[in-house]
């Protein structure tokens, strides 16, 4: 397997990530995905990185670079999804390292991500890659 990592810089490129993102969010339509992408690019400085095996898109990871009082300048992963047929092949580790280097280049002091509590397989990867649990992410429907 020859993995190539590409940065998606336009909305048209980011739209190519929909089939992979749809594996995690299977109820999300492509129209909703498109609308969310518009909001995230304009309001949040959204970026997406893609992994290819030959010419086949097999994974995407999104990120933002932001600043907060509690941690200063940081890079945060939005979603990382590896195609179901390509998991457990160290693709996630390669993408995490790529994003970490983007954070270093941008002068970030922290690397942050959220993970669903039931997603135990991803937790194992994140701990292995040096992440730790700092707090809890709370949510409320409004």
């Amino acid at each position: 397997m020859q993995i190539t990592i590409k940065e998606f810089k336009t909305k048209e490129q980011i739209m190519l990530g929909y089939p992979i993102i749809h594996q995690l969010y299977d109820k999300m339509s492509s129209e909703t995905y498109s609308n969310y992408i518009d909001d995230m690019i304009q309001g949040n400085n959204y970026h997406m990185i893609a992994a290819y095996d030959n010419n086949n898109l097999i994974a995407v990871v999104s990120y933002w670079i932001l600043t907060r009082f509690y941690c200063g300048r940081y890079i945060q992963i939005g979603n990382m999804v590896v195609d179901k047929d390509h998991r457990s092949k160290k693709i996630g580790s390669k993408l995490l390292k790529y994003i970490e280097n983007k954070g270093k280049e941008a002068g970030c002091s922290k690397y942050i991500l959220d993970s669903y509590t039931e997603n135990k397989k991803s937790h194992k990867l994140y701990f292995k890659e040096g992440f730790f649990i700092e707090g809890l992410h709370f949510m409320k429907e409004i």
Side-chain angles (χ1 to χ4, degrees):
M1 179 178 321
Q2 180 65 33
I3 303 300
T4 305
I5 296 178
K6 297 180 182 179
E7 295 190 38
F8 285 171
K9 297 183 180 203
T10 66
K11 179 179 180 184
E12 291 73 28
Q13 290 171 323
I14 293 170
M15 288 301 296
L16 297 173
Y18 175 72
I20 301 294
I21 292 290
H22 192 256
Q23 290 182 25
L24 181 61
Y25 300 106
D26 61 348
K27 295 185 179 19
M28 183 187 307
S29 70
S30 61
E31 181 180 356
T32 298
Y33 178 76
S34 177
N35 291 336
Y36 285 175
I37 293 300
D38 288 336
D39 285 350
M40 292 187 301
I41 289 171
Q42 289 191 1
N44 296 319
N45 196 21
Y46 181 81
H47 302 273
M48 183 177 275
I49 305 297
Y52 284 84
D53 179 17
N54 294 315
N55 288 324
N56 298 316
L57 179 63
I58 59 170
V60 295
V61 60
S62 59
Y63 72 92
W64 294 267
I65 295 175
L66 301 164
T67 302
R68 291 194 178 172
F69 290 124
Y70 76 92
C71 66
R73 187 171 176 84
Y74 68 97
I75 192 162
Q76 180 170 356
I77 289 179
N79 290 105
M80 181 168 67
V81 184
V82 177
D83 178 78
K84 63 185 179 323
D85 296 329
H86 292 85
R87 294 181 184 151
S88 300
K89 296 179 181 178
K90 302 195 183 288
I91 297 163
S93 292
K94 288 179 184 181
L95 290 171
L96 288 172
K97 190 63 168 169
Y98 188 92
I99 298 294
E100 182 175 347
N101 288 332
K102 296 297 281 183
K104 287 177 183 176
E105 291 170 9
C108 297
S109 61
K110 300 283 189 259
Y111 189 0
I112 297 172
L113 61 85
D114 288 330
S115 180
Y116 293 117
T117 54
E118 69 273 1
N119 192 353
K120 306 288 188 220
K121 283 184 122 178
S122 73
H123 301 166
K124 184 177 175 183
L125 169 64
Y126 300 143
F127 286 130
K128 184 179 136 208
E129 294 296 326
F131 288 87
F132 56 90
I133 297 173
E134 177 72 16
L136 298 173
H137 178 99
F138 288 90
M139 186 180 301
K140 179 180 178 180
E141 299 287 337
I142 56 173

